[in-house]
Amino acid sequence: MILGIETSCDETAVAVYDPARGLLGHLIHSQVATHAPYGGVVPELASRDHIRRLLPMVEEVLGRAGVTGPGLDGIAYTAGPGLIGALLVGATMATGLALGWRRPAIAINHMEAHLLAPLLEAERPEFPFLALLVSGGHSMLVEVAGLGRYRILGQTLDDAAGEAFDKTAKILGLPYPGGPALARLAAEGGRDRFAFPRPMLNRSGFDFSFSGLKTAVALKAKEIGRSDGLLTDADRRDLAKSFEEAVVDTLAGKCLRALEATGLTRLVVAGGVGANARLRERLRDELTARGSSVYYPRNEFCTDNAAMVALTGAMRLRGSKTGPLTVQARARWDLAEMQPP
Ligand code: KG4
Ligand code: ZN
């Protein structure tokens, strides 16, 4: 039974996971309201809020799950990549609890946790699979042979997919955080009004590039804007829709190409952009048509959460009763560095 702690960015999250019984409880506190007035995450405010929230949330989750601290087998925490101050809050808290309860502390890579999140669901993929990891900070295609056995096939050369959603949302005048708001707007838009580029789709390989697409939307918005620079509601809906279609086309195209090249038949989609309904619909259609399957975590486990951290901790602990009592926090931690346990 593993306690999971996530504080890498602007969500404080705690969960308890038992491999035999599944998820016993979890909580996520989003700091969106704290950062909204600044239009983005303010690292110092994030750290302070994690400090305020984390310990009461640990007590609440353990209480609800009917578990005591010493009854746990280990404490897993996100050690990177992320905001270093925010990471240190979770890392020091987890290591302190581990010391007090005499249990191992397990440092978890946040991207590995995202990638394994679909294993929390009843319909879970078997290894090996192809993973599309699309979050606010990362976009990559990974060949996953097993736990800690990752080959990065491609990644973004500039903006991550979620970052492109957020920046384009800002261009359309949507409030932070823009990705989900842009998706809601796009749902009412016309698909074919604007022809935006499908970045990198006509090039071989599996890398992405999204910053040109964002610029294309900005230029088009300027061109069609009224003399006072404002867009009509219809313009904003159609721009959002055409942008979303271009991103979805690009991601789906690269996924299909990677499945072809690797011979894999299972695709896992994880990270915040994995919550995008249009992307899910499109991938499900395309993969079903070619006899492959696609797996997603439920929406709340696409974005940052501690259930995926606790699950990864359980998979990595493997019966070990000890762990190093060093506080590990790394702003950068490449998935390609991971090893099997
Ligand atoms: O995985 P995540 O919670 O945090 C990171 O580790 O980055 O991903 C957050 C990102 C944000 O850029 C957000 O705008 C995007 O995921 N996102 C979405 C949707 N929901 C969240 N993008 C498009 N459509 C959505 N429905
Ligand atoms: Zn994340």
Side-chain angles (χ1 to χ4, degrees), residues 86-126:
L87 288 166
L88 276 166
V89 177
T92 48
M93 199 79 84
T95 314
L97 292 173
L99 186 61
W101 292 332
R102 298 180 195 285
R103 289 291 175 273
I106 315 147
I108 299 297
N109 180 300
H110 182 81
M111 301 316 294
E112 176 173 65
H114 269 304
L115 188 142
L116 298 174
L119 300 178
L120 288 162
E121 305 303 338
E123 198 188 317
R124 41 187 282 165
E126 308 255 334

Side-chain angles (χ1 to χ4, degrees), residues 2-258:
I2 304 292
L3 177 71
I5 290 179
E6 159 63 41
T7 63
S8 66
C9 189
D10 60 343
E11 265 96 24
T12 317
V14 178
V16 178
Y17 179 80
D18 178 346
R21 290 183 289 165
L23 193 62
L24 300 186
H26 83 101
L27 276 178
I28 303 171
H29 171 76
S30 164
Q31 300 178 352
V32 159
T34 305
H35 303 293
Y38 307 94
V41 178
V42 183
E44 182 63 21
L45 295 183
S47 310
R48 291 183 198 191
D49 203 54
H50 289 312
I51 290 174
R52 266 193 300 271
R53 306 257 174 200
L54 188 52
L55 212 42
M57 285 175 66
V58 168
E59 287 188 313
E60 193 175 334
V61 169
L62 290 180
R64 282 197 206 172
V67 180
T68 62
L72 294 164
D73 296 296
I75 296 107
Y77 63 96
T78 297
L83 301 171
I84 194 66
L87 288 166
L88 276 166
V89 177
T92 48
M93 199 79 84
T95 314
L97 292 173
L99 186 61
W101 292 332
R102 298 180 195 285
R103 289 291 175 273
I106 315 147
I108 299 297
N109 180 300
H110 182 81
M111 301 316 294
E112 176 173 65
H114 269 304
L115 188 142
L116 298 174
L119 300 178
L120 288 162
E121 305 303 338
E123 198 188 317
R124 41 187 282 165
E126 308 255 334
F127 295 120
F129 53 75
L130 177 74
L132 173 69
L133 261 177
V134 271
S135 71
H138 298 81
S139 296
M140 47 178 132
L141 267 169
V142 189
E143 184 177 358
V144 180
L147 180 65
R149 296 169 61 205
Y150 311 127
R151 188 161 71 96
I152 316 284
L153 300 176
Q155 41 196 326
T156 184
L157 304 177
D158 41 57
D159 292 351
E163 194 178 359
F165 264 92
D166 295 337
K167 287 180 174 171
T168 305
K170 215 170 208 174
I171 294 167
L172 298 180
L174 296 169
Y176 162 89
L182 189 146
R184 279 194 296 277
L185 197 62
E188 300 158 17
R191 179 174 307 176
D192 304 320
R193 183 159 159 211
F194 306 108
F196 290 131
R198 271 52 177 158
M200 310 287 287
L201 201 52
N202 53 1
R203 285 198 221 164
S204 62
F206 306 105
D207 286 334
F208 306 106
S209 159
F210 291 110
S211 80
L213 181 55
K214 165 201 69 193
T215 309
V217 176
L219 289 173
K220 185 56 78 179
K222 207 168 179 187
E223 182 190 315
I224 63 173
R226 298 187 323 212
S227 55
D228 56 3
L230 292 177
L231 294 165
T232 65
D233 285 347
D235 287 341
R236 290 165 65 244
R237 284 198 293 269
D238 293 347
L239 283 168
K241 182 68 190 175
S242 300
F243 164 81
E244 185 180 60
E245 280 302 308
V247 175
V248 167
D249 251 6
T250 307
L251 293 176
K254 292 278 170 172
C255 283
L256 291 176
R257 195 180 290 171

